[in-house]
Amino acid sequence: MNKVLSFIACILFLILAPVSIKAQNDETKYLEGAVTLKNGYVEFEKSYNVPGKSQEEIFGALQNYIQNSLIDGPESLKQSRMVKADSTNFTIVADLEEWLYFKRKAWVTHRTRFYYQIIAQAEEGRFNIIMRRIHYLYDEEERPGMAEPYHAEEWITDDMALNKEKTKLTRIAGKFRRYTIERKDEIFTNAARAAGAKVKVLKVIEVEE
């Protein structure tokens, strides 16, 4: 009986393991075209439809989300602030500084300071959201006072963060690209959900705990 169960377990492993490994190593969403440039600067932008919601309702929901979840969020740092919340033009602008984690364990923490700007524009039944002015302050804890900023335009673009064939992420810059895209997707999706849009819940990449 034990031999039969072992045989079945081996067969299941051979069938499922390739799928599991492929899922873990799938980098498709981070490859060519995943990071967009506008006038030479990295900028992510997306629009969402929110049927049945007024411009005022969407504006209020987005303002609350940006204030409570980003500016006052658990990883937010001291430079995070609301730059503008214009209820006449229904525009929100916020500058954010937060920790972006690559690894977080009891004995080791690997992270970078992450800076970006969010712009949200509410309309009747829809809104537009932008992430731009992205840069990082890396190795700050290992080299106090000597850390240098890394700007997205010279760090996470296709030319810098992908191999020559554009088929794979590079080891260091690719890591920044991966986690920046994941954080952008998380922010955009949660903003849409807060405003009342019907969006799929993303399975955000997990930081190593």
Side-chain angles (χ1 to χ4, degrees):
M1 184 66 178
N2 289 335
K3 290 183 178 180
V4 173
L5 291 175
S6 297
F7 177 75
I8 293 173
C10 288
I11 294 298
L12 289 174
F13 176 80
L14 291 173
I15 294 172
L16 297 177
V19 176
S20 176
I21 293 170
K22 182 179 179 181
Q24 291 174 11
N25 297 328
D26 185 9
E27 297 183 340
T28 306
K29 68 176 288 186
Y30 313 114
L31 298 183
E32 191 171 12
V35 172
T36 51
L37 294 172
K38 185 174 182 180
N39 298 323
Y41 294 95
V42 171
E43 185 171 301
F44 299 104
E45 182 174 8
K46 192 165 184 178
S47 295
Y48 293 91
N49 292 321
V50 193
K53 294 284 186 178
S54 68
Q55 192 172 25
E56 290 82 1
E57 289 174 318
I58 295 171
F59 174 82
L62 292 174
Q63 184 179 4
N64 288 337
Y65 167 71
I66 291 170
Q67 181 66 55
N68 297 327
S69 297
L70 299 184
I71 297 173
D72 297 328
E75 304 303 336
S76 181
L77 297 171
K78 61 182 180 180
Q79 292 189 39
S80 296
R81 66 190 183 97
M82 187 73 75
V83 177
K84 179 170 70 173
D86 188 342
S87 57
T88 302
N89 295 317
F90 301 97
T91 302
I92 302 165
V93 181
D95 288 338
L96 282 306
E97 176 195 18
E98 64 185 29
W99 289 119
L100 184 65
Y101 285 88
F102 308 126
K103 181 182 292 186
R104 180 160 43 180
K105 294 185 177 181
W107 60 91
V108 60
T109 297
H110 190 196
R111 63 186 183 179
T112 182
R113 284 184 188 263
F114 181 40
Y115 301 85
Y116 59 94
Q117 185 177 77
I118 290 290
I119 301 175
Q121 176 72 55
E123 301 176 20
E124 287 293 324
R126 67 187 304 275
F127 75 93
N128 188 69
I129 186 167
I130 294 171
M131 176 187 278
R132 65 176 193 174
R133 296 184 179 177
I134 299 168
H135 61 284
Y136 317 85
L137 192 62
Y138 189 50
D139 278 349
E140 179 186 20
E141 291 159 312
E142 293 185 11
R143 300 189 303 159
M146 298 177 63
E148 296 182 2
Y150 291 80
H151 293 275
E153 293 75 27
E154 53 196 27
W155 196 234
I156 67 168
T157 58
D158 289 358
D159 289 341
M160 295 301 298
L162 301 179
N163 64 1
K164 291 182 179 180
E165 296 76 22
K166 303 294 189 291
T167 58
K168 188 178 180 180
L169 294 169
T170 57
R171 188 173 67 87
I172 299 178
K175 174 177 60 181
F176 279 76
R177 180 181 174 107
R178 178 196 299 268
Y179 283 90
T180 299
I181 290 171
E182 288 291 337
R183 182 57 174 147
K184 176 265 298 182
D185 287 348
E186 182 181 32
I187 291 170
F188 283 17
T189 299
N190 287 340
R193 294 178 66 195
K198 293 182 179 180
V199 292
K200 292 182 180 180
V201 178
L202 288 180
K203 184 179 180 181
V204 178
I205 187 172
E206 295 181 1
V207 176
E208 292 185 49
E209 296 288 353

